[in-house]
Amino acid sequence: MDEIKNKEYAELEEKLQLRKALVDITNRIHAAQNIKQILVDLKDGILNLFSAHSITIYVVDRSRNEIYSLLLIGAQVKEIRVPINNRSIAGYVANAGQIVNIADAYDAAELKAIDQGLTFDQRWDKKSGFRTRQILAAPIFYNKILMGVVQILNKKTGIDKFSEDEKGFLQEISDVLGVAFFNQGRYARKRKTRFDYLINRDLLKEEDLDRAWDDSREAKETIEDFIMKQYKISREDLGRSFEEFYNCKFITYSDRIAIPGDLLSSLNKEYLRRELWVPLEKKDGVIDVIVDDPNNIIKRDMIENLLKTKSVHYDVALPEDIIKYINHFYLSPDDDSTIIDILGKFDVEEEPLDEDEDVVTESDSVIMQLVNKIILDAKAKRASDIHIEPNVGKKNLEVRYRVDGDCALYQTLPYSYRAAVVSRIKIMSNLDITIKRLPQDGKIKFRRPGSEEIELRVATIPTQGGVEDVVMRILAQGGTTLPLTAMGMSARNEKELRAILSKPYGMILVVGPTGSGKTTTLHAALHEINRPDRKIWTAEDPVEITQYGLRQVQVQSKIGFDFAAAMRAFLRADPDVIMVGEMRDFETAKIGVEASLTGHLVLSTLHTNSAPETIVRLLDMGIDPLNFADALLGILAQRLIRTLCKKCREAYHPDRLEFDEMVQDYGEEPFRKLNISYDDKFMLYRPKGCNACDKTGYKGRMGIHELIVATDGIKRLIQKHETVEVMRDLAMEEGMTTLLQDGIYKSIQGVTDFKQVRRVCIK
C-alpha cells in the first residue's frame, strides 16, 4: 500500500513540477520583448518540458504563404522558410490546422495515413547528419487565425511516440504562443516603420535606428545607405523589411530591363530624378512603377495624373537604384555632363607654339573625365568596339563606335588632345607610354562607384604621321551566357545541333569570320551540356565569357602556352568535354581529332566561309581523311546580321523584280518548298528610323546559320576528299540550308532585310 502511495505521490510531484515549468515558460513567453526572443532564446525552456532533442517555432508570413523561423548558428541568426503545403510536416500542420504525432518521419506509410500528399523533406537531415524520428507538431492559433507552428523532434528516451500528456502540454504552449504572437503583432502595428523587420529579428536595435536618423542627416546620406554601412545591414535584409512594410516587391537595379520608350516619351528626366520614381513596363494594361515611398498618396496621385491612368502597380526601390534606372533608360552614365561640358572645363590655345608640345597632358582631370565618358557612353550605346583615331597636322581627333557591326562617328575632339587621350588609355591598360613606334596590347578593368565593372581589350597601332590609333574592344560581362534558344536558329538547325551535342564523343566546329559570334554560340552549346557529371575544359584567347562549372584557361602564346599546348595538358586532366578557342594550325587540329576519337567531345572554331569549305580546309592542312570522317559530328557556319528595329520597321509590298531576285538567290527548287507565292498579301519590312534605334532603323543583331551534319554520306565524301561543291550538294539534299537561304528566310519573316543578308554572305 505504501509503495502505491509513494508512486502516486511521485507522479503527482512530477506533474506539479511540469505544471510549474509550464507556468514559468508561459510567463517568459508573455514577457518577451520581440518575436526573435521567442523564436531563438526561449526554445531550451520549452524543450526541457518534453525531454526532446530539438524544437522549432515558426511564425506565419501571410504575404508569401509561408511559415518562417530563426536559428542561432554560431553568432549569427539565420532564417529558414517553409511553404504552407503538404510537402513538409510543418507545412502540413499549418495548412490543415491539425496537430500531428508521428513515430517515424521516414515511414512513408505512416505519413500517407495522415494525408496522401504528405512527405518528409530529408534535406536538412542529410546536411546536418541529424536523423529525425518522432515528430510532435501543433498549429498556433489566436481566435481561429493561424499564427504559426510549433514542432518538437526526437524523444531522448525510448522509441515510442510522444505521449498524450505531452500532446496536451504542446497544445497549451501553442495557445500561449498564439496570444503572444498576436500581442507582438499589435505592438508592432503601433510603431510600424519600414525597418520593423530588422528590429524584430534583432538585426538593428531601436535606439540605433533612432540615432541613425540624426547621424545620416549630418553625414548627408540617406537613412538606408547609412544603416547598411554603419550597422552592416545587407541589401537583401533591407529589401525584405521594405517588402513587409509596403506589401509589395523590392526592386534592385538591373541593366537587363528593357527601356520603356513609350512610357518615358512624355516624362522629363530631371523631374523623375528629383521625385524619385520611374515606370518600368506596361503589362496587360497595368503600368509597373518603382518609387521610393509607395505609401505616399500625394506622389501616387501625381504619378497617375502624368501617366493618365489609374492602372498603376507600385513597387519600392532604393533612391540610388531609381536614379540608375533613370540614367539607364535615358542612356546616360551616372554624371550628366556631356563631352562638350567636359571640354568646356579646359581652355586650350587655338595656336600652340609647337605642334609637338603637350598642351594637354594625360594627368589633367579633364582628360581623365573625357576618357571615362567615352567608355561609359560606348557601354550605354551597346558598342562592341571604340576606335580612337588621331589625324596628322591640326585635324581633329575622331572617336568612332562599332554598334551592331557598323562603325559610326561618335565625337570629334580638338587635335591638341590626341597625345593625352592615347597616353591616358595606355596608362589605364598598363602599357609603356614611351613606346610609340611599336604596336602594344593590354587590358582595362574599368569601374565607376556603384556600377558594374567594364573590361576592355586594348590595342595600340602606330599610324602614318607619327601618331597612334587605339582600338578598345568591350568584352562581354561574366555570367552572361545566352541559352541555345536565343541564338536565332531555325527549328531544323537547333534540333540537329542538340542531337550532336548529346553525343558522348566526336568533334563539333563553329566557323565564320572574326566577330561573327562563334564564341557566344560555343558557350551556349556548352551551357546545354554543362552538368556536374561532366568535366569541361576550355582554352580561350581571351576568356570573354565566364560560365560556372567550366574550367577555363587563358592561353599565352608569348610564353609558348598556345592552343596545342593547352589541349595536350587537358588530355592529362581527365576531361569529358574540351572546347578550344581556335584551330589555327595542323598540330591543334590533329590533337583535336585524336581527342575526339579517344572518347572526348571536342568543340572548336575555325575561320572559314562555310561549313563544306571547313572540311576541305582541314583536309588540305594534312588531317587524315579517315580519322577526320570518324571524328566529325557536325559543322555550324554562322554570320551576324543587323535586325530591324521592332518599334519603327516599315512593312511594304516589294515589286516583282525584287521578289524574283530573292527566289533566284535562294534557289528556285528549294524556294518552292517554302510555299511562299508572290501576291498582293506578300510583305517585306524595311528600316525607317526612330529615337530607339538612333534613327538607323536597325537595333541588335542575330545569327544566320548553316549546319552540316556528318551523316554516313558526308563521311564517305570526306574519305574520298571530294570538292566543296559535291559536299554542299549532298548536305542540301539531306536538309541543310545555306547561310544565304537562312538569311533570306529571316528577311521574309521580317526580322531583317535582304540588304543586310547580302552584306554578310555570298552563297
Side-chain angles (χ1 to χ4, degrees):
M1 185 68 70
D2 289 340
E3 282 183 20
I4 294 171
K5 284 184 178 180
N6 288 337
K7 187 177 180 182
E8 288 176 352
Y9 178 78
E11 287 176 356
L12 184 62
E13 180 70 24
E14 186 180 348
K15 286 182 180 179
L16 285 171
Q17 290 296 328
L18 285 171
R19 181 60 56 182
K20 184 181 176 184
L22 183 62
V23 171
D24 180 54
I25 285 296
T26 300
N27 292 335
R28 288 177 65 192
I29 289 171
H30 286 312
Q33 300 269 324
N34 51 46
I35 296 279
K36 178 256 176 188
Q37 197 172 347
I38 296 173
L39 299 186
V40 177
D41 299 345
L42 300 183
K43 286 181 178 179
D44 289 343
I46 301 173
L47 201 56
N48 290 335
L49 285 173
F50 296 89
S51 186
H53 279 284
S54 176
I55 179 172
T56 309
I57 304 170
Y58 295 94
V59 182
V60 71
D61 183 343
R62 295 181 214 290
S63 63
R64 297 190 184 184
N65 197 37
E66 292 175 337
I67 50 175
Y68 70 87
S69 186
L70 302 176
L71 296 176
L72 189 64
I73 300 174
Q76 287 189 316
V77 176
K78 298 286 186 181
E79 185 178 86
I80 57 168
R81 285 183 169 268
V82 176
I84 298 177
N85 57 38
N86 295 2
R87 296 194 188 103
S88 66
I89 308 294
Y92 167 78
V93 170
N95 197 28
Q98 296 178 358
I99 193 166
V100 297
N101 190 3
I102 297 169
D104 185 0
Y106 282 74
D107 186 345
E110 185 180 3
L111 299 186
K112 295 286 182 191
I114 298 171
D115 184 271
Q116 280 298 315
L118 185 59
T119 58
F120 173 64
D121 188 348
Q122 300 177 15
R123 285 178 298 177
W124 179 258
D125 280 13
K126 289 174 181 176
K127 187 176 178 181
S128 63
F130 182 85
R131 168 62 162 86
T132 302
R133 293 188 303 276
Q134 303 97 340
I135 298 179
L136 179 63
I140 300 169
F141 284 106
Y142 179 82
N143 281 351
K144 298 183 179 179
I145 298 171
L146 181 70
M147 308 299 288
V149 170
V150 56
Q151 178 177 270
I152 298 173
L153 307 179
N154 289 16
K155 288 171 64 68
K156 286 184 178 177
T157 56
I159 57 171
D160 298 325
K161 286 185 179 182
F162 286 94
S163 69
E164 287 299 313
D165 286 343
E166 288 169 325
K167 193 173 173 181
F169 274 130
L170 189 66
Q171 189 64 63
E172 288 187 54
I173 288 171
S174 69
D175 292 341
V176 173
L177 287 169
V179 174
F181 286 168
F182 173 77
N183 288 334
Q184 287 289 340
R186 186 173 59 181
Y187 172 66
R189 282 193 289 277
K190 286 179 183 175
R191 53 158 185 79
K192 205 161 176 61
T193 75
R194 62 184 186 271
F195 303 110
D196 280 359
Y197 176 95
L198 306 176
I199 292 167
N200 291 340
R201 282 153 183 77
D202 212 22
L203 299 170
L204 184 68
K205 294 188 173 13
E206 286 200 58
E207 54 269 27
D208 290 336
L209 178 61
D210 292 339
R211 193 163 50 247
W213 289 106
D214 294 329
D215 292 346
S216 64
R217 275 192 292 270
E218 282 184 27
K220 295 181 179 178
E221 294 180 6
T222 63
I223 181 72
E224 295 86 2
D225 285 342
F226 185 83
I227 64 172
M228 280 195 291
K229 183 175 68 177
Q230 186 72 21
Y231 299 107
K232 303 294 185 288
I233 302 297
S234 71
R235 186 176 284 258
E236 291 74 22
D237 284 331
L238 191 65
R240 290 193 192 100
S241 190
F242 279 23
E243 286 181 340
E244 189 176 271
F245 177 73
Y246 291 113
N247 196 27
C248 64
K249 280 186 182 178
F250 176 69
I251 306 296
T252 55
Y253 175 71
S254 169
D255 60 4
R256 296 183 183 180
I257 298 287
I259 297 174
D262 53 333
L263 301 177
L264 298 171
S265 57
S266 60
L267 300 174
N268 180 271
K269 175 186 171 185
E270 295 308 319
Y271 166 78
L272 294 175
R273 285 171 64 113
R274 186 175 70 249
E275 296 297 326
L276 291 174
W277 67 273
V278 69
L280 290 188
E281 65 175 342
K282 187 172 185 178
K283 192 189 296 179
D284 299 328
V286 178
I287 299 174
D288 286 339
V289 168
I290 53 169
V291 62
D292 65 325
D293 181 6
N295 290 350
N296 188 326
I297 302 298
I298 296 171
K299 187 177 282 193
R300 286 170 66 144
D301 285 343
M302 185 173 59
I303 291 169
E304 287 160 18
N305 285 333
L306 283 168
L307 296 176
K308 297 182 175 61
T309 179
K310 292 286 183 184
S311 299
V312 179
H313 173 76
Y314 296 94
D315 286 321
V316 67
L318 294 177
E320 65 184 75
D321 284 341
I322 296 173
I323 295 291
K324 283 181 184 177
Y325 270 117
I326 294 167
N327 290 334
H328 171 58
F329 290 163
Y330 285 88
L331 294 177
S332 66
D334 292 341
D335 65 276
D336 285 335
S337 26
T338 64
I339 291 284
I340 304 303
D341 294 333
I342 295 171
L343 294 178
K345 296 175 186 176
F346 201 103
D347 295 323
V348 295
E349 299 174 26
E350 285 295 318
E351 297 290 333
L353 296 174
D354 185 353
E355 188 173 312
D356 294 327
E357 186 181 341
D358 287 333
V359 179
V360 186
T361 67
E362 62 276 2
S363 59
D364 287 322
S365 64
V366 174
I367 293 299
M368 296 179 188
Q369 291 178 54
L370 190 59
V371 173
N372 292 354
K373 178 72 176 173
I374 289 169
I375 294 170
L376 287 168
D377 279 5
K379 181 69 175 174
K381 290 178 181 290
R382 302 177 299 108
S384 59
D385 300 88
I386 306 168
H387 297 258
I388 310 292
E389 300 171 341
N391 291 298
V392 295
K394 295 184 179 180
K395 292 181 182 176
N396 287 340
L397 167 71
E398 292 178 345
V399 180
R400 293 198 290 165
Y401 289 163
R402 186 181 294 280
V403 181
D404 294 337
D406 263 26
C407 256
L409 184 65
Y410 159 68
Q411 192 73 48
T412 59
L413 305 174
Y415 70 90
S416 49
Y417 284 73
R418 65 189 181 193
V421 168
V422 172
S423 294
R424 174 64 191 161
I425 294 169
K426 282 179 155 186
I427 289 168
M428 291 172 74
S429 46
N430 292 319
L431 301 180
D432 191 336
I433 62 172
T434 63
I435 298 175
K436 297 184 179 181
R437 295 187 295 171
L438 291 172
Q440 297 185 70
D441 57 87
K443 271 190 179 182
I444 295 175
K445 287 195 174 181
F446 181 83
R447 184 191 288 277
R448 287 290 299 273
S451 65
E452 64 178 6
E453 184 177 81
I454 304 171
E455 191 170 352
L456 304 102
R457 190 171 64 197
V458 181
T460 69
I461 302 171
T463 48
Q464 188 270 333
V467 294
E468 286 180 283
D469 275 33
V470 178
V471 179
M472 294 182 279
R473 167 155 288 191
I474 300 175
L475 301 179
Q477 296 298 309
T480 55
T481 309
L482 294 171
L484 211 54
T485 50
M487 296 296 105
M489 292 183 191
S490 66
R492 179 262 176 189
N493 286 345
E494 188 174 329
K495 179 185 173 185
E496 294 287 1
L497 184 57
R498 286 182 190 278
I500 60 177
L501 281 169
S502 66
K503 304 290 185 186
Y505 58 87
M507 178 181 282
I508 301 170
L509 299 172
V510 180
V511 302
T514 301
S516 59
K518 298 187 297 296
T519 302
T520 304
T521 300
L522 276 178
H523 272 276
L526 289 174
H527 186 66
E528 286 288 311
I529 57 176
N530 183 5
R531 297 189 302 272
D533 62 343
R534 281 193 150 181
K535 177 75 172 188
I536 304 176
W537 286 101
T538 77
E540 301 168 71
D541 184 22
V543 176
E544 293 187 30
I545 301 171
T546 57
Q547 191 178 154
Y548 179 77
L550 308 188
R551 309 312 301 155
Q552 296 178 259
V553 172
Q554 166 88 49
V555 299
Q556 302 281 351
S557 299
K558 292 177 182 176
I559 60 171
F561 186 47
D562 54 13
F563 286 120
M567 285 196 74
R568 282 194 295 271
F570 291 167
L571 290 172
R572 297 190 295 271
D574 187 29
D576 293 306
V577 182
I578 296 171
M579 191 270 270
V580 58
E582 187 183 340
M583 287 190 170
R584 293 176 179 169
D585 51 46
F586 169 74
E587 188 180 6
T588 310
K590 182 173 177 287
I591 297 170
V593 171
E594 289 172 355
S596 59
L597 289 172
T598 53
H600 306 97
L601 188 63
V602 178
L603 294 85
S604 188
T605 71
L606 222 68
H607 289 119
T608 51
N609 292 320
S610 69
E613 283 179 41
T614 307
I615 296 171
V616 176
R617 170 77 63 84
L618 286 167
L619 294 177
D620 288 345
M621 283 170 64
I623 298 297
D624 180 73
L626 294 173
N627 286 345
F628 183 53
D630 285 342
L632 187 66
L633 293 175
I635 301 171
L636 179 75
Q638 75 173 53
R639 301 286 187 280
L640 289 177
I641 51 170
R642 300 176 79 192
T643 51
L644 292 167
C645 175
K646 291 178 181 177
K647 291 190 176 180
C648 67
R649 65 178 185 170
E650 187 177 58
Y652 73 100
H653 178 60
D655 58 30
R656 185 76 201 199
L657 188 65
E658 186 177 352
F659 179 81
D660 288 343
E661 186 183 351
M662 290 178 68
V663 173
Q664 187 178 354
D665 283 350
Y666 195 95
E668 290 185 14
E669 187 60 35
F671 193 86
R672 200 173 293 118
K673 294 177 183 176
L674 298 178
N675 293 321
I676 297 172
S677 57
Y678 183 77
D679 52 31
D680 292 339
K681 294 180 182 178
F682 181 75
M683 304 295 284
L684 293 176
Y685 288 85
R686 59 190 170 201
K688 185 178 179 183
C690 65
N691 290 332
C693 59
D694 289 335
K695 307 293 183 186
T696 62
Y698 300 96
K699 189 169 185 182
R701 290 190 291 176
M702 77 178 304
I704 57 174
H705 306 91
E706 173 181 294
L707 176 63
I708 187 169
V709 179
T711 61
D712 291 341
I714 294 293
K715 289 185 176 187
R716 279 194 293 272
L717 296 183
I718 294 172
Q719 290 166 356
K720 293 176 184 177
H721 207 322
E722 281 289 1
T723 62
V724 172
E725 290 75 19
V726 174
M727 291 189 190
R728 182 184 292 117
D729 290 344
L730 179 60
M732 290 177 70
E733 282 177 27
E734 293 177 344
M736 183 189 84
T737 52
T738 65
L739 287 165
L740 187 57
Q741 287 174 340
D742 195 35
I744 291 171
Y745 186 67
K746 281 170 179 165
S747 68
I748 292 170
Q749 290 178 311
V751 177
T752 186
D753 61 359
F754 189 46
K755 176 185 170 187
Q756 294 301 318
V757 178
R758 269 289 184 203
R759 287 183 62 184
V760 299
C761 60
I762 301 168
K763 296 179 181 179

